[in-house]
Amino acid sequence: QVQLVESGGGLVQAGGSLRLSCAASGRTFSSYDMGWFRQTPGKEREFVAAINWSGDSTWYADSVKGRFTISRDNAQKMVFLEMNSLKPEDTAVYYCAGGARGSVYVASVYDVWGRGTQVTVSS
């Protein structure tokens, strides 16, 4: 089993940057496709970004393309989400997810989830 823990969230002004980290434990991390999702109260979890097991393929939601970058370090068993040019609409709880078993855009295909980290972007 893989356990995931997110960190790096916080309060930032519009136009600023944050870097989220996801630390994994377990033996199977390197074989996992990984994703980031976000959720605002009253809404379903929204796909943000994903990366395949080797790190040579990435996917992004249209709303974050050009602003966010997903990366991974399998030796450290970590996944990162660098968020630049942040907007108030980026405010959400951000979740790290692993083990996609289908389309990386769909939350239900992931096997493992972290607890989430809050990102708040002020005007």
Side-chain angles (χ1 to χ4, degrees):
Q1 289 185 306
V2 174
Q3 305 292 320
L4 306 176
V5 179
E6 304 94 336
S7 62
L11 175 64
V12 64
Q13 291 185 334
S17 299
L18 284 174
R19 189 187 192 220
L20 305 184
S21 298
C22 174
S25 62
R27 291 180 173 270
T28 61
F29 175 80
S30 62
S31 66
Y32 268 42
D33 291 356
M34 303 293 297
W36 287 95
F37 288 74
R38 63 190 183 186
Q39 188 168 26
T40 300
K43 297 182 180 179
E44 294 184 345
R45 289 190 182 184
E46 174 190 13
F47 171 79
V48 177
I51 188 166
N52 76 338
W53 67 270
S54 62
D56 58 2
S57 294
T58 58
W59 300 262
Y60 294 95
D62 288 342
S63 59
V64 307
K65 285 182 179 177
R67 300 189 297 121
F68 291 10
T69 302
I70 187 171
S71 61
R72 68 190 297 163
D73 185 332
N74 289 342
Q76 297 185 28
K77 296 184 177 181
M78 296 191 73
V79 180
F80 307 97
L81 185 68
E82 183 179 359
M83 305 185 295
N84 299 313
S85 301
L86 282 162
K87 305 174 181 179
E89 51 262 46
D90 295 318
T91 295
V93 176
Y94 282 72
Y95 297 89
C96 178
R101 296 177 290 106
S103 172
V104 298
Y105 302 101
V106 181
S108 62
V109 309
Y110 291 84
D111 288 331
V112 182
W113 292 83
R115 65 181 180 178
T117 186
Q118 177 71 47
V119 172
T120 302
V121 184
S122 63
S123 300

